[in-house]
């Protein structure tokens, strides 16, 4: 007897500050584990699994993330009711945006055309403690204008082997950045935020682990005067070894947008 299977794309948002990243791991509170536990509760006695569109690290947040739900047995009769039930049972720092049925040919990894990450930060003085889940706080004064100019050096196709924390043999380190812009933060505001904060917007088809945080780290080093724009250019050339000494904190990073 053929098993009936159904496939759903679920859009979600989450604040990652109290989670050990996306991927389920023993003894850790993760986004994937929380979603799986909730789905098992609202779909009792159903065989299911989920697959995320990516794996965010510990403390990284998302405004536009998605996962695919693989469900055996009968289809979900009322997706609006399912969405409501899912949100009722999820913790307040995870929110399901939408759900739609997809066919078996849909591939949540390969069908992503573009991802946009945003890195939020401030500099020069210590922030209100309520900023901690949203803004990286760089206490040094930074040359923001120099950082804005240098950010555009990352655009295009380059060898990003110096910008990953998990380089493996035969890994694909040549990646294309569609856009890399540093600007004032107009995206997330709060009355406890500093007067000025900044946002690095990075768009590409896919990213390696720590890649955006290491790009941000290089720009912070440049803003402090520790490296130059020439150093950044050299770090993007094939077979050039450049030891970056700073990886930007995870809590400033969020997945802003997914395009399928």
């Amino acid at each position: 007897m053929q098993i009936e299977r159904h496939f759903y794309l679920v859009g979600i948002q989450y604040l990652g500050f109290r989670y050990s990243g996306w991927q389920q791991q023993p003894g850790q509170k993760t986004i994937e584990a929380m979603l799986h536990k909730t789905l098992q509760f609202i779909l009792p006695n159903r065989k299911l699994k989920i697959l995320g569109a990516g794996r965010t690290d510990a403390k990284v947040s998302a405004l536009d993330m998605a996962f695919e739900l693989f469900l055996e047995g009968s289809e979900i009769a009322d997706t609006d009711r399912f969405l409501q039930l899912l949100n009722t049972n999820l913790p307040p720092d995870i929110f399901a945006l939408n759900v739609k049925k997809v066919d078996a040919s849909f591939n949540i990894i390969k069908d992503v055309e573009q991802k946009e990450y945003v890195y939020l930060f401030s500099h020069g003085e210590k922030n209100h403690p309520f900023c901690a889940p949203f803004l990286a706080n760089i206490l040094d004064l930074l040359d923001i204008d120099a950082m804005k100019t240098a950010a555009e050096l990352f655009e295009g196709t380059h060898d990003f082997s110096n910008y990953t924390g998990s380089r493996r043999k035969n890994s694909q380190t040549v990646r294309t950045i569609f856009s890399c812009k540093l600007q004032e933060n107009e995206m997330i505001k709060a009355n406890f935020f500093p007067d000025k904060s900044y946002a690095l917007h990075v768009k590409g088809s896919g990213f390696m682990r720590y890649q955006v945080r290491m790009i941000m780290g290089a720009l912070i080093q440049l803003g402090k005067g520790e490296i130059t724009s020439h150093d950044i250019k050299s770090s993007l050339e094939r077979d050039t070894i450049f030891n970056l000494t700073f990886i930007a904190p995870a809590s400033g990073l969020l997945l802003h947008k997914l395009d399928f």
Side-chain angles (χ1 to χ4, degrees):
M1 182 178 177
Q2 187 173 7
I3 298 174
E4 186 178 357
R5 292 184 176 89
H6 301 279
F7 312 89
Y8 299 88
L9 181 64
V10 184
I12 57 169
Q13 296 175 327
Y14 54 84
L15 180 64
F17 195 67
R18 71 186 185 105
Y19 293 93
S20 299
W22 169 270
Q23 188 174 9
Q24 190 163 331
Q25 44 194 308
Q28 299 293 323
K29 181 179 287 185
T30 70
I31 302 294
E32 184 181 35
M34 186 62 70
L35 287 167
H36 196 268
K37 179 180 178 181
T38 305
L39 287 164
Q40 286 184 315
F41 178 74
I42 66 174
L43 297 169
N45 305 314
R46 299 291 299 274
K47 189 171 182 180
L48 61 88
K49 69 174 184 177
I50 63 174
L51 179 63
R55 296 177 181 177
T56 51
D57 291 325
K59 296 184 182 298
V60 175
S61 300
L63 288 176
D64 184 15
M65 177 58 161
F67 68 89
E68 189 171 1
L69 168 63
F70 303 82
L71 185 64
E72 290 190 6
S74 60
E75 66 180 327
I76 296 171
D78 185 341
T79 54
D80 289 338
R81 172 60 181 157
F82 168 78
L83 189 65
Q84 182 184 31
L85 196 59
L86 181 58
N87 278 318
T88 297
N89 288 280
L90 282 170
D93 49 10
I94 304 178
F95 177 65
L97 295 164
N98 47 61
V99 56
K100 68 175 182 178
K101 193 170 184 181
V102 294
D103 61 36
S105 66
F106 178 77
N107 186 310
I108 196 168
I109 304 298
K110 294 182 179 179
D111 288 352
V112 174
E113 293 184 353
Q114 178 176 279
K115 293 181 180 180
E116 180 184 7
Y117 280 93
V118 176
Y119 195 94
L120 301 174
F121 70 98
S122 62
H123 74 110
E125 58 183 26
K126 191 169 180 67
N127 285 341
H128 190 291
F130 288 4
C131 294
F134 312 104
L135 290 175
N137 192 193
I138 311 303
L139 297 180
D140 304 82
L141 283 171
L142 301 174
D143 186 341
I144 296 295
D145 288 337
M147 292 169 67
K148 287 180 179 178
T149 300
E152 297 185 5
L153 296 174
F154 292 99
E155 295 179 349
T157 302
H158 306 285
D159 185 349
F160 283 93
S161 57
N162 290 309
Y163 292 86
T164 177
S166 57
R167 187 177 180 183
R168 299 170 183 171
K169 187 177 181 181
N170 300 321
S171 60
Q172 177 54 262
T173 58
V174 175
R175 301 293 176 108
T176 299
I177 300 294
F178 303 144
S179 175
C180 187
K181 307 291 183 188
L182 196 156
Q183 58 198 50
E184 283 195 31
N185 169 33
E186 300 293 338
M187 195 173 69
I188 298 177
K189 296 287 188 178
N191 60 8
F192 51 81
F193 273 26
D195 291 338
K196 275 192 178 181
S197 56
Y198 298 89
L200 178 71
H201 292 254
V202 186
K203 298 178 182 178
S205 57
F207 297 91
M208 297 177 291
R209 191 179 188 194
Y210 298 155
Q211 185 178 348
V212 177
R213 288 172 58 195
M214 293 182 79
I215 288 172
M216 187 72 248
L219 291 174
I220 290 170
Q221 285 188 261
L222 180 136
K224 291 179 180 181
E226 297 174 353
I227 63 174
T228 67
S229 57
H230 181 266
D231 292 326
I232 289 179
K233 287 180 182 178
S234 297
S235 72
L236 295 168
E237 295 174 359
R238 185 180 292 275
D239 298 326
T240 298
I241 297 175
F242 188 83
N243 294 318
L244 295 165
T245 61
F246 184 65
I247 300 175
S251 57
L253 183 64
L254 61 89
L255 178 57
H256 183 226
K257 190 168 177 56
L258 280 177
D259 293 322
F260 289 99

